[in-house]
Each structure stands twice: as structure tokens, then as C-alpha cells.
């Protein structure tokens, strides 16, 4: 994993996550400390069952640590009540899942702006247009997810994750359900977005190919 003198966009400190108890106890994270540098692309790699998804979920505030701290900027997630955690997730974090998690009844355009619409935030047209062109979905905006290929659906999910201009986007094997060509396309897209927008991306990947853009 990369480290940087720059202020991290997110980090975990002495992170411990224990699932279950007694005989069925699983220590998924056992004292992990890692910084995710701002404006960089960080790849998280490791064997199946090593705790990568657990790390992503806890760092993104989708799950809580057993002990230790998860921070976004200077905000310790464990210090927030449910409502404030929900707001922080909505306003400062994007997430791309392995299964695209698009809403089937909404069009591509509606899926992309969903986080903003839920937040009651106005959609900045210029920003939206730029995002749509970056992900190459201009001619699919009024289609529904079922009418798109897997790669196209994942590009919608990427656009949605970036739509609210979050501080950090976490992606858990975003290419896992794609063939290698669409997978590479999504990786390139994530890399280009980091490069062009200065956003921070933390991505779990099991592929051995290097990150799409040099990080230093
Ligand atoms: N909800 C849960 N309850 C109990 N154990 C869990 C739960 N979620 C994960 N685990 C266990 O925690 C460990 C880490 O799981 P995790 O999903 O974080 O691994 P991973 O690195 O993402 O694996 P993969 O590459 O297969 O996705 C595994 O041993 C898993 O069985
Ligand atoms: Mg996983």
C-alpha cells in the first residue's frame, strides 16, 4: 500500500474487526493501520478471506470496527451518531460494489444523480456532463440498467460514486464481474478520474496488473 507525507483522505488506526464469538469467532482485521493519501489511487490486494472487504466497509462507515479507529479526513467515524454517519457517508464518501447495485427502475441519468437527489442537492449540469463524458455514457443516459452491458453498468456505478464530489471513493473489486476488457476499461476510468479530478480512490483488486496511472 502507498504512503504519503500528504494529509490522508481517510485512514484506519489499529483496526480490529472480530465477527462472531467463541468457537465461531473470526478476526478479520487484527490491528491494521493504513493511510489512504489524498489525490491518489491506492490498490488493496490480498488473498480471499484476508479482510479486504471488511477493511473497505469499516473505512467507509458501512460497518463498525470492534476496536481502533476509522477516520475520513479528521473525522473519527465512531464519534458520530447514526444520523451524522449517514450524512457523512452521503456527502463525503462514494462506494462502488462488485455487484453494480443500480436501481433497475431508474434510467442511467437518474441512477447517477440519485445520491444528490436523495441529499436534496442541486445537480451541477456542467459537472454532470463532464462525468457522463468521462464514463462514456452520453448515448445511454435514458436507458435502464437491464439494457446495458456489465461494463456499462459498472461505469454508471463509478459515475454515481463520483457524482456528489466525495472526498474518497472506495471500490470493492469493481471489475470482479466483468470480462478482462471491460474490467480494464473501468480501471482506466477510475485512474483517469483520480488524475483529472484529484479525487481519492481506494480499490480492492485481485488482478495483478498495476494501477492505471502512476501514483507518484
Ligand atoms: N458477516 C460476517 N460474519 C462472520 N464472518 C465474516 C463476515 N464477513 C466476513 N467474515 C469473515 O471475515 C474474513 C474476512 O472476510 P472479507 O470478506 O473481509 O475477506 P476478503 O479479503 O474481502 O475476501 P474476498 O477476496 O474473498 O472477497 C473471512 O474469514 C470471512 O469469512
Ligand atoms: Mg471481498
Amino acid at each position: 500500500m502507498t504512503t504519503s507525507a500528504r494529509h490522508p483522505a481517510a485512514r484506519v488506526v489499529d483496526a480490529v474487526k472480530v465477527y462472531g464469538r467463541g468457537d465461531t469467532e473470526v478476526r478479520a482485521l487484527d490491528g491494521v493501520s493504513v493511510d489512504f493519501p489524498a489525490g491518489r489511487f491506492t490498490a488493496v490486494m490480498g488473498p480471499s478471506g484476508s479482510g479486504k472487504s471488511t477493511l473497505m466497509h469499516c473505512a467507509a462507515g458501512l460497518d463498525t470496527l470492534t476496536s481502533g479507529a476509522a477516520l475520513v479526513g479528521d473525522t473519527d467515524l465512531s464519534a458520530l451518531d447514526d444520523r451524522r454517519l449517514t450524512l457523512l457517508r452521503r456527502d463525503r464518501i462514494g462506494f462502488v460494489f462488485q455487484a453494480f447495485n443500480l436501481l433497475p427502475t431508474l434510467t442511467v441519468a437518474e441512477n447517477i444523480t440519485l445520491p444528490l437527489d436523495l441529499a436534496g442537492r442541486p445537480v451541477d449540469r456542467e459537472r454532470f456532463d463532464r462525468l457522463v463524458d468521462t464514463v462514456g455514457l452520453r448515448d445511454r443516459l435514458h436507458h435502464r440498467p437491464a439494457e446495458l452491458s456489465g461494463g456499462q453498468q459498472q461505469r454508471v456505478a463509478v459515475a454515481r460514486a463520483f457524482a456528489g464530489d466525495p472526498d474518497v471513493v472506495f471500490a470493492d473489486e469493481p471489475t470482479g464481474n466483468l470480462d478482462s476488457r471491460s474490467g480494464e476499461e473501468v480501471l482506466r476510468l477510475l485512474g483517469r478520474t483520480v488524475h483529472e479530478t484529484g479525487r481519492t480512490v481506494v480499490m480492492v483488486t485481485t488482478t495483478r496488473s498495476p494501477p492505471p496511472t502512476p501514483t507518484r
Side-chain angles (χ1 to χ4, degrees), residues 49 52-54 98 172-173 204:
K52 304 180 298 293
S53 294
T54 303
Q98 181 171 351
D172 189 1
E173 293 191 50
V204 172

Side-chain angles (χ1 to χ4, degrees), residues 36-48:
F36 301 119
R40 298 285 174 82
F41 187 103
T42 303
V44 177
M45 305 180 81
S48 180

Side-chain angles (χ1 to χ4, degrees), residues 152-183:
Q152 289 169 336
Q153 290 183 56
Q154 193 59 302
R155 285 187 271 141
V156 177
V158 169
R160 181 184 56 186
F162 283 98
D165 201 16
D167 294 343
V168 50
V169 169
F170 293 96
D172 189 1
E173 293 191 50
T175 62
N177 275 331
L178 304 177
D179 62 39
S180 57
R181 189 155 152 269
S182 332

